[in-house]
Amino acid sequence: MSVNLPAYQQVLAALQPYGARLVAVSKIKPVADIQALYNAGQRAFGENYVQELVQKQPELPADVEWHFIGHLQSNKVKYIAPFVSMIHAVDSFKLLQEISKQAAKHNRVIDCLLQVHIAEEETKFGMDAAELEALLQQWQQQPLPNIRIAGLMGMATNTDNAAQVLKEFQQLKALHAAVKARYFTGHDYFRELSTGMSGDYHLALQAGSTLVRIGSLLFGAR
């Protein structure tokens, strides 16, 4: 077992003043490691690969809260729709439609986060502000009853420049506030901001993150 329980407690202590939650990123980690962290009290786990998540889910307790945090293809949604709690990286209206369609088959409503591109690298997925606006307008005109847009998600530039990372997180927080004011007034469910990983979660918390996605600090390097 390679779970670092002291690091887990340190992360929880860091999150506590902000009221933020931890999503333990368990991709390519064995079921035994996930169970060990579950036994320590963790319930929300994040996976990047559909096939791996589908294999792990039945081997772990039923009250695990599964978050899909990777890039999701529309044709794979049906495999996780029966049980996934939240999908973090939605970057098209077409994907939202498919999630709602598959959730309806199981009489479920699935929380979704809209992924915004905030980093300087071209390799990161996500929408720009104009694409996000277009998606939200489409959603307003064509409601999807089996999904709930619960907030935004973003990944900062992979750099040692803390000021730049903090600025990117703050820009996403400002966008979150603007979107909430325009599209979700009176709806308390649009409150999540999924930002921050092992190397930058302290900065994300300063900029209003409500969900941090941490793997290597807890489970060791992949």
Side-chain angles (χ1 to χ4, degrees):
M1 187 187 79
S2 60
V3 174
N4 188 334
L5 292 178
Y8 172 60
Q9 295 300 333
Q10 286 172 1
V11 170
L12 292 184
L15 299 184
Q16 199 268 335
Y18 296 93
R21 293 198 302 140
L22 168 66
V23 178
V25 179
S26 49
K27 66 177 180 182
I28 74 168
K29 295 300 174 185
V31 165
D33 285 4
I34 302 173
Q35 183 70 54
L37 209 53
Y38 176 93
N39 292 344
Q42 180 63 20
R43 289 296 178 270
F45 291 88
E47 291 283 334
N48 286 58
Y49 308 111
V50 169
Q51 185 175 356
E52 186 182 348
L53 175 52
V54 168
Q55 288 170 344
K56 287 176 176 177
Q57 186 265 337
E59 296 185 44
L60 286 150
D63 65 336
V64 168
E65 183 185 314
W66 291 107
H67 292 238
F68 192 82
I69 61 175
H71 184 65
L72 182 59
Q73 296 171 293
S74 293
N75 62 350
K76 301 276 183 74
V77 173
K78 61 189 174 189
Y79 300 112
I80 62 174
F83 62 85
V84 73
S85 290
M86 181 178 285
I87 296 173
H88 281 234
V90 177
D91 59 2
S92 73
F93 189 73
K94 177 187 164 205
L95 181 56
L96 269 187
Q97 286 178 303
E98 184 62 21
I99 295 167
S100 187
K101 173 184 161 187
Q102 297 300 333
K105 294 178 181 178
H106 303 279
N107 295 312
R108 301 189 69 224
V109 175
I110 296 175
D111 282 344
C112 296
L113 304 181
L114 304 179
Q115 184 174 6
V116 180
H117 188 284
I118 59 173
E120 288 191 351
E121 297 119 324
E122 290 302 315
T123 54
K124 300 279 197 309
F125 291 102
M127 298 174 279
D128 61 26
E131 290 167 332
L132 176 66
E133 181 76 14
L135 181 150
L136 287 165
Q137 288 184 2
Q138 205 171 352
W139 166 77
Q140 233 180 11
Q141 292 158 13
Q142 188 181 338
L144 302 171
N146 292 84
I147 62 102
R148 191 164 56 176
I149 298 177
L152 303 180
M153 176 263 206
M155 297 169 70
T157 302
N158 184 13
T159 174
D160 292 330
N161 184 341
Q164 179 183 341
V165 172
L166 182 60
K167 182 176 129 192
E168 290 169 358
F169 286 149
Q170 288 171 335
Q171 286 171 341
L172 187 61
K173 172 65 173 172
L175 183 61
H176 182 283
V179 167
K180 182 167 188 175
R182 179 157 186 186
Y183 292 98
F184 296 95
T185 303
H187 298 289
D188 67 344
Y189 56 81
F190 187 85
R191 58 174 171 264
E192 305 292 4
L193 193 57
S194 173
T195 53
M197 300 188 290
S198 290
D200 59 17
Y201 77 94
H202 287 287
L203 295 170
L205 290 170
Q206 290 175 40
S209 177
T210 65
L211 292 166
V212 298
R213 311 178 304 273
I214 295 179
S216 56
L217 270 181
L218 307 175
F219 294 105
R222 292 186 177 84

